[in-house]
Amino acid sequence: MSVEPMPEDRPSTVDEHVERILGALTPLQPYDQPLLEALGLPVCEDISAPMDLPAFDNSAMDGYAVTFDDVVTATEDHPVHLPVVGEMAAGQTKLFALSPGTTVRIMTGAPIPQGADAVVPVEWTDGGVAAVRITRAPTHGQHIRRRGEDVQTGDVLLEDGALLGPRQLGLLASVGRSQVRSRPRPRVVIISTGSELREPGTALGHDSVYDANSYMLAAAARAAGAIAYRVGIVSDDPEEFSHALSDQLVRADLVVTSGGVSKGQYDVVKEALVELGTVEFGEVAMQPGKPQGFGVVGEDATPIFTLPGNPVSSYVSFEVFVVPAIRRMMGRLPYRRPLVRAITSQGFSSAPGKRQFVRGLFEIDGRGAHVAPVGGHGSHLVGDLAEANALIVVPEDVTRIDPGSQVQVLVLDRDF
């Protein structure tokens, strides 16, 4: 896999960086997976029905299988009395051939006896066991589910690329499929770097912080449909980082790091990877999330994203760049979260020349779609990030958003 280099003379635009990522990745190879493992993944085959649904004529009601001519005159004032010659339950192997002038007690889903052409619901009878009193006549064929009325052998059930949701998996199971061909979920390894980081639940020193990024990014990877592996904290030691990365590649389809990619003295990720020559570091004209790195590592050319360490920068970068990569590897379209339009309740300014991603609170009411900015622009404000459910996207050439303006919004936490 080759990675297009980032421009040296200027920051990349967001769209350029996304296209660079998508152009370097290919979908994972599909294979047959158990049905439940394929939930949320696109199917990688055309699937035709190998059988009819229903597979046989069966009762839609608990009641009595009858010959229509025997009960056509039944009313409350002139009921029809028939002897009950048997009983059929769903899954029962014994089959009946119904003679005219008799009836069989039948349960929902049970096969219709030969000779029966209607079912009388038990509510229209006295519920008799040896003989039954019928006070209302069905129509011919009423309450019988006919073989193949839902699906017929050879019908196309799912086309290549269809998303496998609960209903689609239920359909496959109903025709006897126990597996379906789909691409696997990408295995995403998350690594946080920084000697100041501590595990939640441990003691916190005066100069240390809890590692929030790895939990946030691992959760984001799972929400995007991937399998996430969170690695323990790695200090600002390039050799330690290199060893940790090498150890994790055996289970990674994609690696995401946070921290250590700016221009400081302890930017361990950049220091460890730049010598490889396979990871490009540069700037993207966006706020937050300006410093970015992308490339490949290891013998299998495993894709790696190096994201900024500030929590908001890291999360926004993941949403904008890593989510499309995960969906590309799963073969799930669209790759990028679609933009929606909303009216902003507040005005705010935006830095020129950068695509701004402003945390927002999005809602729809009787007046339409609305969004309000949440908190400030600081890339460390994780409390504001948790309150937000959307990102207001401000184009590079816009420096001021007035109250009541229509803006573009990425609505988070919803499937697409």
Side-chain angles (χ1 to χ4, degrees):
M1 182 180 75
S2 61
V3 179
E4 179 185 341
M6 302 180 76
E8 297 181 359
D9 57 336
R10 60 172 178 82
S12 298
T13 67
V14 170
D15 293 335
E16 286 173 344
H17 196 52
V18 171
E19 291 306 314
R20 179 183 300 112
I21 291 164
L22 295 179
L25 299 175
T26 56
L28 299 175
Q29 288 298 312
Y31 61 89
D32 289 340
Q33 300 191 60
L35 292 185
L36 290 181
E37 296 300 316
L39 177 64
L41 299 173
V43 64
C44 293
E45 58 177 324
D46 291 328
I47 300 179
S48 298
M51 58 182 288
D52 294 335
L53 288 180
F56 50 86
D57 293 353
N58 68 89
S59 177
M61 303 287 288
D62 289 341
Y64 297 85
V66 297
T67 301
F68 172 70
D69 290 342
D70 289 341
V71 298
V72 67
T73 62
T75 65
E76 286 281 355
D77 295 333
H78 298 89
V80 171
H81 295 81
L82 295 175
V84 179
V85 297
E87 182 175 288
M88 298 191 68
Q92 182 174 306
T93 57
K94 183 179 179 181
L95 298 178
F96 281 94
L98 188 67
S99 300
T102 65
T103 183
V104 168
R105 187 172 176 87
I106 193 167
M107 309 305 168
T108 302
I112 297 297
Q114 184 178 352
D117 50 18
V119 172
V120 179
V122 69
E123 293 86 355
W124 300 357
T125 75
D126 64 353
V129 177
V132 63
R133 178 176 176 268
I134 298 171
T135 58
R136 180 175 170 183
T139 58
H140 188 273
Q142 190 172 9
H143 303 310
I144 295 178
R145 302 165 176 157
R146 294 297 182 185
R147 175 176 178 169
E149 71 176 19
D150 184 14
V151 170
Q152 295 185 355
T153 301
D155 284 353
V156 176
L157 301 180
L158 296 172
E159 294 184 345
D160 190 349
L163 188 64
L164 293 166
R167 297 177 300 281
Q168 291 72 31
L169 295 178
L171 175 60
L172 295 180
S174 71
V175 296
R177 291 287 296 260
S178 63
Q179 295 186 322
V180 61
R181 190 169 183 79
S182 61
R183 292 183 173 85
R185 303 179 190 281
R187 299 166 300 167
V188 180
V189 167
I190 310 292
I191 304 175
S192 280
T193 63
S195 297
E196 77 282 8
L197 299 178
R198 300 292 182 271
E199 286 286 348
T202 63
L204 194 66
H206 70 281
D207 60 348
S208 55
V209 297
Y210 287 123
D211 174 24
N213 282 7
S214 66
Y215 285 94
M216 178 173 61
L217 298 181
R222 287 189 183 182
I227 298 170
Y229 298 111
R230 177 188 165 272
V231 180
I233 298 165
V234 177
S235 72
D236 291 319
D237 181 341
E239 186 174 349
E240 181 183 340
F241 171 80
S242 296
H243 283 310
L245 176 62
S246 178
D247 289 343
Q248 294 298 320
L249 290 180
V250 67
R251 63 173 179 174
D253 295 308
L254 187 152
V255 176
V256 177
T257 70
S258 67
V261 294
S262 296
K263 299 178 180 179
Q265 185 176 356
Y266 297 103
D267 288 327
V268 56
V269 174
K270 193 171 183 179
E271 183 178 345
L273 296 180
V274 72
E275 296 180 0
L276 300 179
T278 58
V279 181
E280 292 286 337
F281 294 91
E283 296 180 344
V284 176
M286 63 186 290
Q287 187 178 5
K290 184 178 179 181
Q292 297 288 333
F294 173 70
V296 296
V297 290
E299 295 180 358
D300 296 327
T302 302
I304 185 170
F305 289 81
T306 65
L307 307 183
N310 279 318
V312 179
S313 299
S314 190
Y315 178 81
V316 170
S317 299
F318 189 97
E319 173 64 37
V320 175
F321 301 127
V322 184
V323 168
I326 290 173
R327 293 175 69 91
R328 167 80 168 147
M329 297 177 83
M330 290 191 298
R332 185 169 175 184
L333 296 172
Y335 298 141
R336 302 174 73 173
R337 190 181 295 277
L339 292 165
V340 302
R341 295 189 177 275
I343 301 299
T344 179
S345 61
Q346 301 174 28
F348 55 90
S349 60
S350 181
K354 297 178 181 179
R355 186 171 301 183
Q356 188 89 8
F357 294 90
V358 179
R359 283 142 281 176
L361 191 60
F362 175 86
E363 62 178 355
I364 298 176
D365 57 24
R367 298 176 296 121
H370 302 268
V371 66
V374 172
H377 293 331
S379 57
H380 63 293
L381 302 175
V382 70
D384 293 340
L385 180 64
E387 183 182 348
N389 66 356
L391 296 174
I392 304 171
V393 182
V394 184
E396 291 83 347
D397 58 350
V398 175
T399 59
R400 178 67 192 173
I401 298 293
D402 295 322
S405 300
Q406 189 178 75
V407 292
Q408 293 183 318
V409 180
L410 288 174
V411 182
L412 306 172
D413 306 328
R414 65 160 61 164
D415 199 12
F416 65 99

